[in-house]
Amino acid sequence: MSQFSKFNFTGHKALVRVDFNVPVKEGKVADDTRMRAALPTIQKILRDGGSVILMSHLGRPKGKVDEKYSLGQIVYHLKELLPGVTVHFATDCIGAVAEEKAAALQSGEVLLLENLRFHAEEEKGDPAFAKELSRLGDVYVNDAFGTAHRAHASTAVIAADFPQGKKMFGLLMEAEVSNAERVLHSSEKPFTAILGGAKVSDKIEIIENLLNKADNIIIGGGMTYTFLRSQGKHTGNSLCEEDKLDLAGDILKRAAEKNVSFYLAADSVIADAFSNDANRNTVSNDNIPAGWMGLDIGPDAIAEFTEVITNSKTILWNGPMGVFEMSNFQAGTRAIAEAVAAATEKGAYSLVGGGDSVAAVNQFGLADKVSYVSTGGGALLEYFEGKTLPGIAAIRD
Ligand code: AMP
């Protein structure tokens, strides 16, 4: 049993860093996925007879009070998610307002603090600000995987103000960390990483780190064309990062040296404009005509990638295979999502994470057919780049 699950919160005031950075439109929470992800942690503390002080950021208010980013807007929704629970709100996360409300908090109650980023000290990782926050509770729980890659006051620095045994991951953070560690450090082979999305430049570090870990690397999406160009192929108007051609060539060379099988799409669905209504064709990637652009992987690529995925025991997927937001260019991403789901059913372990691939598995209704869908975008990518995440290190040190 984990430290959090074993801990009895009776009579404790738990200061819980959550990621409630949710989209708010016209005063309403437009997508509450991140709030729901933190509920098991909150509910366990309340069930034990503890009280919960929630701290989060919302948007980028840049160290100033800005009502547009007030967490006061989401209190109504938090109450809906916690029926029967008294939820209080403090109009500042530190100072007299927060201290009085925290002191008055009863077992079984929740206090949500105002946006941490209304204070510039949060993002600066200011130790005095962290200390002020730490005084509000007697146990620190970090359940905000989405900000684990930031060395901010509430995500990392504050941990130093709590002794071992009184600082721990919450249930979401535990799950995120253990799933990511399973893929990176104890993956059953063959381990296949599927990387898509727009740009090579965003994915260089993750590809470089995975060259030392994966058996197969599958590349899809806009990134494909920079690799093809580095091989001297014509890619028409497809996305291409001219300044990354040498790097792409170097990655291909290193993959060969390390015996990593590196799969580039054999064909593409091409279009004569970046539009769902554009004229379309399917061509070999040796043969993209001038004036056309690749917007999805083609059927030969789907067949080859599906075979590799089907024979894998561990699968990491980040980034779509094409412009899946447009219905005419989503077949590749859908087919890969289905292949990952089928491999999972056969016993493979699959982790999908980092932004758009999560949106894709949700859109295709396959989120519950993969082993784990990560909530952490940037944090997950940095983890797979091989970096130490301050939010994880602060608890473990
Ligand atoms: P990323 O944030 O790097 O994972 O990129 C995701 C975005 O890449 C999505 O919005 C896709 O529409 C886009 N994308 C994927 N494939 C292509 C492509 N072949 N050409 C242009 N954009 C693409």
Side-chain angles (χ1 to χ4, degrees):
M1 222 202 272
S2 71
Q3 190 187 359
F4 179 83
S5 304
K6 272 190 289 195
F7 196 89
N8 183 351
F9 285 91
T10 315
H12 287 290
K13 283 194 171 118
L15 188 56
V16 186
R17 176 53 158 106
V18 288
D19 180 2
F20 280 0
N21 183 28
V22 292
V24 178
K25 292 205 181 96
E26 288 160 14
K28 292 259 176 263
V29 175
D31 178 348
D32 67 354
T33 310
R34 288 181 175 157
M35 294 175 77
R36 279 187 287 108
L39 289 179
T41 294
I42 298 169
Q43 284 159 340
K44 138 86 178 158
I45 299 168
L46 298 178
R47 241 190 349 261
D48 277 1
S51 55
V52 176
I53 301 167
L54 297 171
M55 46 182 185
S56 179
H57 73 283
L58 177 67
R60 298 188 171 189
K62 306 219 166 87
K64 289 197 189 75
V65 176
D66 181 342
E67 285 309 311
K68 206 164 72 208
Y69 300 113
S70 173
L71 281 166
Q73 300 172 94
I74 71 159
V75 173
Y76 84 94
H77 197 75
L78 187 58
K79 286 183 177 165
E80 279 173 23
L81 293 174
L82 294 168
V85 176
T86 303
V87 178
H88 304 273
F89 179 67
T91 53
D92 196 353
C93 61
I94 54 164
V97 178
E99 280 172 29
E100 278 160 28
K101 294 231 168 175
L105 199 63
Q106 303 293 311
S107 297
E109 293 185 344
V110 171
L111 169 64
L112 174 66
L113 304 177
E114 181 55 290
N115 196 338
L116 292 157
R117 292 193 186 167
F118 282 180
H119 294 265
E121 293 87 346
E122 162 65 359
E123 290 185 80
K124 284 188 192 136
D126 182 74
F129 176 73
K131 189 152 223 90
E132 275 206 68
L133 288 171
S134 76
R135 280 204 294 268
L136 301 175
D138 61 274
V139 184
Y140 170 65
V141 178
N142 188 352
D143 214 21
F145 184 67
T147 46
H149 56 317
R150 308 280 181 225
H152 293 170
S154 69
T155 60
V157 179
I158 192 171
D161 295 312
F162 291 85
Q164 274 308 340
K166 290 281 183 67
K167 51 181 161 187
M168 60 196 80
F169 298 145
L171 294 170
L172 172 66
M173 184 88 163
E174 269 175 2
E176 292 280 357
V177 172
S178 64
N179 281 291
E181 284 181 342
R182 176 170 175 178
V183 170
L184 201 58
H185 299 301
S186 47
S187 49
E188 209 186 321
K189 306 240 150 206
F191 168 22
T192 298
I194 310 163
L195 300 170
K199 293 183 177 166
V200 178
S201 49
D202 291 341
K203 308 282 161 95
I204 293 164
E205 288 174 82
I206 190 165
I207 296 173
E208 287 186 334
N209 193 37
L210 289 172
L211 283 176
N212 300 316
K213 303 276 180 188
D215 303 296
N216 306 304
I217 296 182
I218 289 176
I219 300 285
M223 265 200 288
T224 310
Y225 306 98
T226 302
F227 282 104
L228 294 173
R229 278 286 292 281
S230 79
Q231 296 175 321
K233 293 182 179 162
H234 296 288
T235 55
N237 283 350
S238 307
L239 268 189
C240 179
E241 289 171 275
E242 299 288 342
D243 60 333
K244 295 290 176 290
L245 294 179
D246 288 348
L247 184 70
D250 184 54
I251 288 173
L252 293 173
K253 203 169 98 217
R254 274 188 288 155
E257 283 162 10
K258 289 176 187 278
N259 283 325
V260 175
S261 303
F262 205 90
Y263 295 90
L264 288 173
D267 56 354
S268 291
V269 177
I270 56 170
D272 60 359
F274 190 80
S275 156
N276 197 40
D277 306 322
N279 292 308
R280 274 175 289 144
N281 203 351
T282 301
V283 296
S284 152
N285 277 341
D286 292 329
N287 209 4
I288 296 180
W292 290 68
M293 62 186 87
L295 294 185
D296 196 6
I297 56 173
D300 291 348
I302 290 177
E304 185 181 30
F305 293 178
T306 299
E307 193 183 335
V308 176
I309 293 166
T310 307
N311 293 320
S312 301
K313 284 272 171 256
T314 306
I315 301 161
L316 169 69
W317 181 20
N318 166 265
M321 296 290 105
V323 186
F324 77 106
E325 299 93 331
M326 299 184 196
S327 59
N328 286 330
F329 306 105
Q330 64 172 223
T333 304
R334 182 190 288 273
I336 294 315
E338 283 167 357
V340 174
T344 311
E345 197 175 1
K346 256 183 53 186
Y349 176 80
S350 56
L351 190 156
V352 179
D356 279 333
S357 32
V358 174
V361 290
N362 284 329
Q363 186 177 319
F364 303 137
L366 293 168
D368 58 355
K369 300 255 182 333
V370 298
S371 307
Y372 191 72
V373 179
S374 174
T375 59
L380 190 83
L381 288 186
E382 288 201 17
Y383 183 84
F384 282 105
E385 285 168 2
K387 293 183 181 145
T388 301
L389 304 191
I392 298 179
I395 297 281
R396 287 190 169 159
D397 281 351

